[in-house]
């Protein structure tokens, strides 16, 4: 075949395929793919809105495809809102997709209040029409009513029942002459700029079967797992007689912060059967104050427990442990004790007693999970009795008895999936290694050994 003829045939084939690629496919056999067929939103509080999620509509054909319309079936009255390829609209027509190209549809949800006290499910769908075909992307959200408190100041003795969740916007403050009692089963959610500031008294009355939760208000993934999602709980100088039983504090910047002794001589803060976890900075901060804690779990915080500038502290049967994960690197001891302020210039008396506790951290990140530091000539009395801790050397300023430096053998630790179960495995050296302290139950509400050796940490092996 002559070269001119070959060239002509090649050009004809090129133009045929080029024209085919530039033309629209009109067959009903044309296909599209979605990056997901359903978009889920976890609990969304009425009137607060959600994160924005997205789905990709993909033209899987080797020709251009005309999407006749992409529309939200509920229209403008839907609780869902969509953005189609950069345009905020409930419907868009005649969208051209190049071969193997795609567009994004962004979805958010805003739920209006109603009278339901239970979680409810809201649904809608996005219809994608092309060549006589209709394909659907399902939308589903769980919504819930709540008490919304915006920059709320509690000036009289107040009790919160467990009827609806409480959502705190802009902060919550308890006046110095007032108290707030939170009944068992309550859930309190905080916006990112909303601390709980206690000038008066906070009384949390949780139970092992109905704990009280303090969380950030973003419950949709991945925000539900972010540390630092809300500021935390701060007990001010005038605060007194605070009690927290069966409370769960998670994802805050700082868990609980207490400064100064109570004005009436009682402990500033009593923590019983509490869980403080995934805190960006410190789970518990005490500065020249008085904190007692028993059966508490403080885990995976930037700094789990920091007790500085002196004070009076008592921790019994507590588990304090940290493991580096996707959000927080474990680089600080899980327990840090000192008798001086942040500048190092001021010192005060320090009295701290730890009984039947576990202090542990992951791998070779730190060889000393307990740091004890003293300055000046103030009283400095720090004791550890029947504790399991990870230390290369027992601190010089701390008396001790029955120290262990072996793996406590927690049930499950998975840093990649961020799953942690701090119950003790069979054969753990922490089992029956403690002394009887009179605490009848563990963090789960299970009975502890009576009149004999008890397990270390917050959980009793059943």
């Amino acid at each position: 075949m002559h070269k001119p003829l070959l060239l002509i045939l090649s050009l004809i084939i090129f133009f045929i395929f080029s024209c085919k690629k530039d033309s629209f496919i009109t067959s009903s056999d044309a296909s599209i793919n979605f990056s997901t067929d359903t978009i889920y939103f976890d609990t969304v509080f009425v009137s607060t809105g959600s994160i924005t999620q997205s789905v990709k509509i993909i033209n899987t054909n080797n020709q251009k495809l005309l999407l006749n319309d992409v529309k939200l079936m509920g229209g403008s009255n839907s609780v869902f809102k969509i953005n189609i390829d950069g345009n905020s609209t409930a419907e868009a027509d005649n969208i051209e997709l190049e071969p193997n190209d795609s567009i994004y549809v962004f979805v958010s949800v805003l739920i209006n209040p109603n009278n339901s006290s239970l979680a409810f499910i809201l649904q809608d769908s996005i219809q994608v029409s092309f060549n006589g075909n209709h394909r659907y992307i399902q939308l589903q959200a769980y919504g819930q009513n709540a008490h919304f408190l915006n920059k709320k100041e509690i000036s009289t003795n107040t009790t919160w029942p467990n009827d609806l969740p409480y959502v705190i916007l802009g902060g919550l403050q308890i006046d110095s002459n007032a108290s707030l009692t939170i009944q068992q089963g309550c859930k309190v959610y905080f916006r990112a700029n909303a601390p709980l500031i206690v000038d008066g008294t906070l009384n949390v009355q949780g139970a092992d079967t109905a704990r009280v939760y303090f969380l950030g208000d973003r419950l949709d993934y991945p925000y539900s797992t972010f540390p630092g999602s809300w500021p935390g709980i701060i007990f001010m100088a005038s605060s007194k007689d605070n009690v927290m039983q069966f409370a769960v504090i998670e994802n805050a910047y700082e868990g609980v912060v207490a400064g100064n002794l109570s004005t009436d001589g009682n402990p500033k803060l009593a923590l019983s059967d509490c869980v403080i976890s995934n805190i960006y900075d410190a789970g518990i901060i005490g500065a020249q104050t008085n904190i007692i804690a028993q059966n508490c779990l403080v885990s995976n915080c930037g700094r789990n427990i920091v007790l500085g500038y002196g004070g009076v502290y008592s921790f019994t049967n507590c588990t304090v442990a940290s493991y580096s994960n996707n959000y927080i690197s474990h680089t600080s001891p899980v327990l840090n004790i000192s008798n001086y302020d942040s500048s190092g210039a001021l010192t005060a008396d320090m009295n701290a007693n730890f009984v039947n506790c576990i202090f542990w951290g992951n791998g070779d990140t730190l060889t000393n999970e307990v740091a004890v530091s003293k300055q000046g000539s103030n009283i400095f009395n720090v004791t550890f009795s029947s504790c399991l801790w990870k230390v290369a050397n027992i601190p010089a300023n701390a008396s001790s008895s029955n120290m262990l430096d072996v793996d406590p053998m927690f049930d499950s630790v998975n840093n990649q999936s961020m799953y942690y179960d701090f119950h003790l495995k069979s054969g753990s050296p922490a089992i029956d290694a403690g002394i009887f302290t009179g605490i009848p139950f563990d963090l789960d509400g299970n009975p502890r050994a009576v009149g004999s050796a008890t397990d270390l940490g917050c959980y009793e092996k059943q």
Side-chain angles (χ1 to χ4, degrees):
M1 188 176 292
H2 297 292
K3 288 184 178 180
L5 184 56
L6 280 173
L7 180 60
I8 292 171
L9 287 174
S10 298
L11 290 172
I12 291 173
I13 293 171
F14 172 78
F15 282 116
I16 288 175
F17 279 97
S18 295
C19 292
K20 183 178 180 181
K21 196 169 185 178
D22 288 338
S23 64
F24 287 94
I25 184 171
T26 57
S27 170
S28 60
D29 294 330
S31 63
I32 60 173
N33 279 345
F34 301 140
S35 56
T36 182
D37 60 3
T38 305
I39 295 179
Y40 296 96
F41 295 86
D42 203 340
T43 305
V44 179
F45 294 113
V46 292
S47 81
T48 62
S50 71
I51 64 169
T52 298
Q53 299 196 52
S54 66
V55 59
K56 188 160 59 172
I57 304 172
I58 307 166
N59 176 14
T60 58
N61 307 281
N62 291 324
Q63 289 180 257
K64 292 173 66 175
L65 178 67
L66 181 67
L67 303 180
N68 303 107
D69 65 51
V70 176
K71 68 177 180 180
L72 183 64
M73 297 302 290
S76 59
N77 293 324
S78 176
V79 298
F80 297 92
K81 304 301 175 185
I82 64 173
N83 182 298
I84 304 170
D85 204 25
N87 297 310
S88 295
T89 178
E91 181 175 1
D93 302 326
N94 300 321
I95 301 172
E96 297 183 8
L97 278 181
E98 296 294 328
N100 302 303
D101 200 2
S102 61
I103 62 167
Y104 279 95
V105 178
F106 297 93
V107 186
S108 60
V109 58
L110 181 66
I111 299 174
N112 292 320
N114 64 27
N115 295 323
S116 173
S117 63
L118 301 176
F120 50 91
I121 300 175
L122 300 108
Q123 295 175 311
D124 204 340
S125 62
I126 300 171
Q127 175 182 279
V128 182
S129 303
F130 62 99
N131 297 359
N133 299 310
H134 302 291
R135 295 277 306 280
Y136 295 90
I137 303 163
Q138 301 300 320
L139 309 177
Q140 182 170 297
Y142 295 88
Q144 192 170 46
N145 258 335
H147 298 287
F148 289 89
L149 305 174
N150 189 7
K151 297 181 181 179
K152 175 68 175 179
E153 185 175 327
I154 294 177
S155 56
T156 61
N157 294 344
T158 302
T159 297
W160 284 357
N162 175 21
D163 56 350
L164 290 171
Y166 296 82
V167 180
I168 311 303
L169 312 173
L172 174 69
Q173 185 169 7
I174 305 171
D175 286 353
S176 58
N177 294 318
S179 67
L180 171 62
T181 298
I182 302 178
Q183 295 183 341
Q184 65 182 38
C186 284
K187 294 182 178 180
V188 189
Y189 300 93
F190 295 83
R191 187 58 60 85
N193 65 341
L196 170 51
I197 299 175
V198 184
D199 289 308
T201 301
L202 176 65
N203 184 13
V204 178
Q205 300 178 339
D208 60 310
T209 56
R211 300 176 190 270
V212 174
Y213 287 84
F214 297 86
L215 306 166
D217 73 338
R218 299 298 295 269
L219 304 185
D220 30 12
Y221 184 81
Y223 293 95
S224 60
T225 61
F226 281 177
S229 297
W230 60 287
I233 304 173
I234 305 169
F235 298 93
M236 305 299 286
S238 60
S239 180
K240 62 182 180 181
D241 299 330
N242 299 287
V243 176
M244 302 186 75
Q245 297 179 324
F246 289 102
V248 178
I249 303 167
E250 293 182 339
N251 306 340
Y253 180 78
E254 291 173 337
V256 294
V257 180
N260 304 97
L261 299 173
S262 286
T263 56
D264 60 2
N266 294 328
K268 169 81 76 171
L269 174 62
L271 299 168
S272 176
D273 304 281
C274 293
V275 175
I276 302 174
S277 67
N278 200 39
I279 307 298
Y280 182 82
D281 182 28
I284 298 175
I285 296 179
Q288 204 175 23
T289 191
N290 186 342
I291 298 174
I292 60 175
Q294 65 179 35
N295 276 344
C296 290
L297 171 63
V298 185
S299 66
N300 293 336
C301 307
R303 302 178 298 160
N304 286 30
I305 300 177
V306 179
L307 309 176
Y309 197 19
V312 180
Y313 307 95
S314 175
F315 287 75
T316 306
N317 279 104
C318 294
T319 298
V320 187
S322 272
Y323 292 82
S324 292
N325 55 50
N326 295 332
Y327 299 136
I328 299 176
S329 296
H330 178 50
T331 58
S332 298
V334 297
L335 175 62
N336 199 311
I337 304 171
S338 66
N339 69 330
Y340 47 86
D341 68 354
S342 58
S343 69
L346 300 176
T347 61
D349 292 347
M350 169 64 79
N351 290 278
N353 186 36
F354 304 89
V355 180
N356 295 349
C357 293
I358 297 174
F359 301 100
W360 200 257
N362 67 310
D364 298 324
T365 307
L366 291 172
T367 56
N368 288 292
E369 292 292 350
V370 176
V372 180
S373 180
K374 174 189 176 184
Q375 291 185 12
S377 58
N378 294 85
I379 294 172
F380 195 88
N381 184 22
V382 179
T383 61
F384 295 85
S385 301
S386 303
C387 291
L388 186 157
W389 57 357
K390 180 181 179 182
V391 291
N393 299 292
I394 297 174
N397 294 313
S399 59
S400 61
S401 65
N402 201 22
M403 290 294 112
L404 299 173
D405 192 13
V406 292
D407 191 331
M409 295 176 59
F410 295 128
D411 183 271
S412 299
V413 173
N414 189 321
N415 294 319
Q416 185 172 1
S417 62
M418 294 182 64
Y419 175 78
Y420 306 94
D421 183 344
F422 292 102
H423 289 80
L424 301 174
K425 288 182 180 178
S426 296
S428 165
I431 295 175
D432 295 336
I435 57 177
F436 181 64
T437 61
I439 299 175
F441 302 102
D442 72 353
L443 180 57
D444 286 334
N446 293 321
R448 287 192 177 274
V450 178
S452 61
T454 186
D455 294 352
L456 305 184
C458 59
Y459 296 113
E460 183 85 4
K461 180 67 176 174
Q462 301 299 304

